Amino acid sequence: MRQKRAKTYRKLMHLYSMSFGFRQPYQILVDSEMCQIAIDAKLDLIKQFSTVLQGNVKPMITQCCMHELYLQGKARQPAVDLAKTFERRKCNHREAIPGDECLSGVVGDTNKHRYVVATQSQSLRNGLRIIPAVPVIHINRAVMVLEPPSEATLKAKELTEEQSLRPSAPELATVPRDKPVPKKRKGPKGPNPLSVKKKKNSNPETSTRPSQKTKAESLDTSSSTAQLPGQKRKRDSQDDKCEEQSVGMTNAAQNIASTRTRKRRRKAPAVSPSSP
Ligand SMILES: [Zn+2]
């Protein structure tokens, strides 16, 4: 297939899928004459279909079209065999009717099952042009052709595009309800907490490394029992400061603090001379 034609077909199938919901594998209703021509021209129908539609395909044949092929007799057996490989589309015509009528009945007024129709019948092709969104394939001198979109198809496409631009009645009804949604979508208030310097925490028990200043403040103001852990840590690091701060503590805590510092101070000189 030439590049220009391939591009045209790709665009056309894009239109059918975007505006009318055609999906792969494309379901193709094949008529009996198409099967016979394919055999005569030695065309690989399925391969040709997927080349023209540029996607996966699922060829189908209706019961009535199958019946038409049987009527052709033994000479047409290869066409029958080919058609037998297709999926059978039940049309529920109790007595077989002409293939054209059967196919237009299966497509219906709206082609709601999104069929592609592969037919050689000129009258059927004319009839399908009235219905929006029916891709039609025929064979012209051993070349498979995807017909350009019909007027009905183009009009329907414009209509759906207009509708998609204008908010529909149910959409308008939901607009006020939708308004709070963007507010919810806003990110967390303030900057990312991970990117911000940690706030100085006034509670020494929750903060892992309280700064000197907060420790001193908390020691001055609060009761002794709550302060013991913080006090201990401070004493370990800075003995002198701790002694000064212990003035503000209650007697019990003060005694513990002072005796410990005293003990340590006594120990220090006692140990240092003995050691070599
Ligand atoms: Zn039928």
Side-chain angles (χ1 to χ4, degrees), residues 12 56 151 229 232 250:
L12 187 48
N56 297 322
E151 283 293 315
K232 266 186 183 175
T250 58

Side-chain angles (χ1 to χ4, degrees), residues 62 64 91 93 97 102:
T62 67
C64 298
C91 55
H93 298 125
I97 58 171
C102 178

Side-chain angles (χ1 to χ4, degrees), residues 49-194:
F49 282 146
S50 57
T51 306
V52 165
L53 298 183
Q54 307 194 16
N56 297 322
V57 295
K58 190 204 275 181
M60 304 173 103
I61 191 151
T62 67
Q63 293 164 319
C64 298
C65 289
M66 202 69 209
H67 188 256
E68 265 186 354
L69 279 175
Y70 283 130
L71 292 178
Q72 301 291 319
K74 278 273 171 187
R76 283 306 186 180
Q77 192 58 40
V80 172
D81 292 340
L82 172 67
K84 275 183 177 173
T85 65
F86 300 164
E87 190 170 308
R88 198 69 59 90
R89 169 63 160 89
K90 281 182 184 171
C91 55
N92 295 327
H93 298 125
R94 285 194 175 181
E95 280 192 21
I97 58 171
D100 282 16
E101 288 174 34
C102 178
L103 287 177
S104 58
V106 168
V107 169
D109 296 332
T110 56
N111 192 19
K112 68 170 180 176
H113 295 295
R114 306 286 175 253
Y115 290 122
V116 178
V117 181
T119 178
Q120 291 301 99
S121 161
Q122 189 62 54
S123 63
L124 179 58
R125 281 157 59 192
N126 291 342
L128 292 175
R129 225 162 269 156
I130 301 163
I131 300 156
V134 187
V136 177
I137 289 170
H138 73 271
I139 292 173
N140 183 18
R141 287 183 226 163
V143 175
M144 194 174 275
V145 176
L146 174 61
E147 296 183 6
S150 64
E151 283 293 315
T153 301
L154 292 175
K155 267 187 188 171
K157 182 210 160 204
E158 277 175 26
L159 208 77
T160 52
E161 277 177 0
E162 263 180 44
Q163 280 171 349
S164 66
L165 287 175
R166 260 183 247 155
S168 61
E171 276 174 345
L172 281 171
T174 57
V175 163
R177 264 183 254 156
D178 284 347
K179 270 190 177 174
V181 173
K183 280 183 187 172
K184 276 185 187 172
R185 280 180 197 158
K186 278 182 187 169
K189 286 169 190 172
N192 180 357
L194 295 175

